[in-house]
Amino acid sequence: MLNKNLTLGEFIIKNQSSFKYSSGELSSLINSIRLAAKIVNHEVNKAGLVDIIGETGDENIQSEKQQKLDVYANNKFIKTLVNRNIVCGIASEEEENFISINSIDKKNQNKYIVLIDPLDGSSNIDVNVSVGTIFSIYRRKSKIGSEVELNDFLQFGRDQVAAGYIIYGTSTMLVYTTGNGVNGFTLNPAIGTFYHSHSNLSIPKDGKIYSINEGNYLQFPEFVKKYIKFCQEEKNERPYTSRYIGSLVSDFHRNMIKGGIFLYPQTLKNPNGKLRLLYECNPIAFICEQAGGIATNGYKNILDIEPELLHQRTPFYCGSEKMVKDLQKFI
Ligand code: AHM
Ligand code: MG
């Protein structure tokens, strides 16, 4: 039952025993993410007032222009997790290589690693449109106490222990799953506390919204073009409408609440798709599945893709079960 007076901190303590591997470590880790999220939220909200919008002049490993807030959020999440000594390794969209905390703290005995997109949809920052943070948590595969290895990060999405996102929108929300349903918490900015606002979130089985960057239409594979036409045709009273923010967290969040499908296909420019498997698609796919939806690359469930690269990309289709199945009929 939803109790809107319950804080995220209280919820984590209350549900600790239902976590798959309950030692308190995962709870502390989610608490650290909560803290960093509040700090980043404070900065995102000041954008426009302080000198934090715009580009840094540098590019990240994906040859994308880094925004000042990208860098700020990346530093805050990494510093919070390192300083609180709560993980053994971190991989980030903004870092070429993963970080092994054991190189910093030789006594590190932690078993979790985190993959994070610290500020997703950052092209929206300068124009006051919602952005988000996406995170994915795994148990390490290598021996506790040793340096983490690439293989600790290249795990199937299916093996995630927890995943979540923060949406810096009209209100700021933290949504996460530990494989036991999806819960959402809304920040009361006056007192800096997240409250349990959404219990056991579920995606409607069918929806009306399709979300895709139609500016790339000519580059889409045939089945995606056909699906878009299917959504646009008037016959059979198909009442579809298009909504696209260009911020994965926001587009997914809306579709999860209202019912819909999000599509980011391969294009000529990005033949493997644009979105990154490990810290964008896998966590969203885990949440999507936990909420009753489907996430696929068109041929394979996202959570069953074997990763080969830290910054691997994939085509991504996710959302309401019926809509994803309708799309797959055109393949
Ligand atoms: P980013 O990680 O560089 O911010 O890029 C990811 C974002 C997603 O949030 C969004 O779904 C997509 O890029 C939008 O891309 P496009 O502008 O090509 O439609
Ligand atoms: Mg991103």
Side-chain angles (χ1 to χ4, degrees), residues 93 117 119-121 276 280:
E93 177 177 333
D117 181 352
L119 208 70
D120 186 61
R276 274 55 54 122
E280 292 178 325

Side-chain angles (χ1 to χ4, degrees), residues 108-172:
N108 191 296
Q109 291 293 309
N110 297 321
K111 61 176 174 286
Y112 292 110
I113 60 122
V114 172
L115 294 120
I116 191 158
D117 181 352
L119 208 70
D120 186 61
S122 49
S123 65
N124 281 322
I125 295 167
D126 292 2
V127 289
N128 218 341
V129 174
S130 302
V131 288
T133 297
I134 313 173
F135 61 91
S136 168
I137 300 173
Y138 291 89
R139 302 183 99 198
R140 66 181 299 170
K141 285 165 106 181
S142 54
K143 207 169 136 261
I144 289 179
S146 63
E147 297 282 330
V148 283
E149 299 162 5
L150 182 59
N151 277 341
D152 290 318
F153 296 89
L154 300 185
Q155 299 194 46
F156 284 100
R158 184 80 51 215
D159 294 333
Q160 288 172 99
V161 173
Y165 59 78
I166 297 116
I167 175 166
Y168 310 98
T170 40
S171 58
T172 295

Side-chain angles (χ1 to χ4, degrees), residues 64 93 117 119-122 213 244 246-248 262 264 274-276 280:
E64 294 159 344
E93 177 177 333
D117 181 352
L119 208 70
D120 186 61
S122 49
N213 184 344
Y244 188 73
S247 196
L248 173 62
F262 175 90
Y264 209 110
K274 176 185 179 190
L275 299 178
R276 274 55 54 122
E280 292 178 325

Side-chain angles (χ1 to χ4, degrees), residues 177-206:
T177 181
T178 52
N180 205 3
V182 182
N183 284 281
F185 301 82
T186 303
L187 183 69
N188 178 339
I191 51 174
T193 303
F194 281 101
Y195 286 98
H196 195 200
S197 51
H198 297 70
S199 179
N200 275 321
L201 277 158
S202 70
I203 305 185
K205 287 284 166 223
D206 197 5

Side-chain angles (χ1 to χ4, degrees), residues 55-314:
E55 293 165 2
T56 58
D58 296 326
E59 288 186 345
N60 68 9
I61 172 67
Q62 347 265 342
S63 304
E64 294 159 344
K65 291 191 168 65
Q66 283 186 313
Q67 306 285 319
K68 287 181 193 164
L69 264 176
D70 276 334
V71 175
Y72 179 88
N74 187 45
N75 290 341
K76 279 296 164 213
F77 276 102
I78 291 177
K79 269 197 182 145
T80 307
L81 295 172
V82 171
N83 290 347
R84 297 191 130 206
N85 190 12
I86 206 67
V87 290
C88 53
I90 305 169
S92 161
E93 177 177 333
E94 303 302 332
E95 305 281 336
E96 180 169 358
N97 296 314
F98 61 83
I99 300 166
S100 172
I101 315 292
N102 291 65
S103 333
I104 305 163
D105 172 11
K106 302 282 176 222
K107 291 192 217 93
N108 191 296
Q109 291 293 309
N110 297 321
K111 61 176 174 286
Y112 292 110
I113 60 122
V114 172
L115 294 120
I116 191 158
D117 181 352
L119 208 70
D120 186 61
S122 49
S123 65
N124 281 322
I125 295 167
D126 292 2
V127 289
N128 218 341
V129 174
S130 302
V131 288
T133 297
I134 313 173
F135 61 91
S136 168
I137 300 173
Y138 291 89
R139 302 183 99 198
R140 66 181 299 170
K141 285 165 106 181
S142 54
K143 207 169 136 261
I144 289 179
S146 63
E147 297 282 330
V148 283
E149 299 162 5
L150 182 59
N151 277 341
D152 290 318
F153 296 89
L154 300 185
Q155 299 194 46
F156 284 100
R158 184 80 51 215
D159 294 333
Q160 288 172 99
V161 173
Y165 59 78
I166 297 116
I167 175 166
Y168 310 98
T170 40
S171 58
T172 295
M173 276 189 77
L174 191 152
V175 174
Y176 81 103
T177 181
T178 52
N180 205 3
V182 182
N183 284 281
F185 301 82
T186 303
L187 183 69
N188 178 339
I191 51 174
T193 303
F194 281 101
Y195 286 98
H196 195 200
S197 51
H198 297 70
S199 179
N200 275 321
L201 277 158
S202 70
I203 305 185
K205 287 284 166 223
D206 197 5
K208 297 178 177 174
I209 299 169
Y210 69 99
S211 311
I212 187 166
N213 184 344
E214 285 188 65
N216 297 327
Y217 182 86
L218 293 178
Q219 303 181 33
F220 290 154
E222 273 316 300
F223 76 92
V224 174
K225 287 183 178 167
K226 284 184 186 154
Y227 181 71
I228 294 174
K229 282 289 155 245
F230 163 84
C231 291
Q232 292 172 343
E233 275 163 15
E234 278 177 27
K235 63 181 175 193
N236 302 333
E237 294 178 12
R238 286 195 293 266
Y240 295 107
T241 186
S242 166
R243 291 281 183 278
Y244 188 73
I245 297 169
S247 196
L248 173 62
V249 169
S250 316
D251 280 310
F252 172 75
H253 186 74
R254 180 204 51 240
N255 291 357
M256 179 167 66
I257 306 274
K258 294 193 164 182
I261 182 170
F262 175 90
L263 308 96
Y264 209 110
Q266 59 270 49
T267 59
L268 297 178
K269 187 177 161 210
N270 291 306
N272 298 318
K274 176 185 179 190
L275 299 178
R276 274 55 54 122
L277 174 63
L278 291 176
Y279 42 79
E280 292 178 325
C281 302
N282 269 341
I284 296 290
F286 187 23
I287 293 168
C288 181
E289 218 170 79
Q290 281 291 313
I294 300 179
T296 170
N297 67 359
Y299 303 93
K300 207 170 189 178
N301 188 311
I302 289 290
L303 300 176
D304 295 325
I305 297 175
E306 185 167 10
E308 290 170 4
L309 302 167
L310 200 53
H311 298 287
Q312 185 168 329
R313 296 172 193 262
T314 176

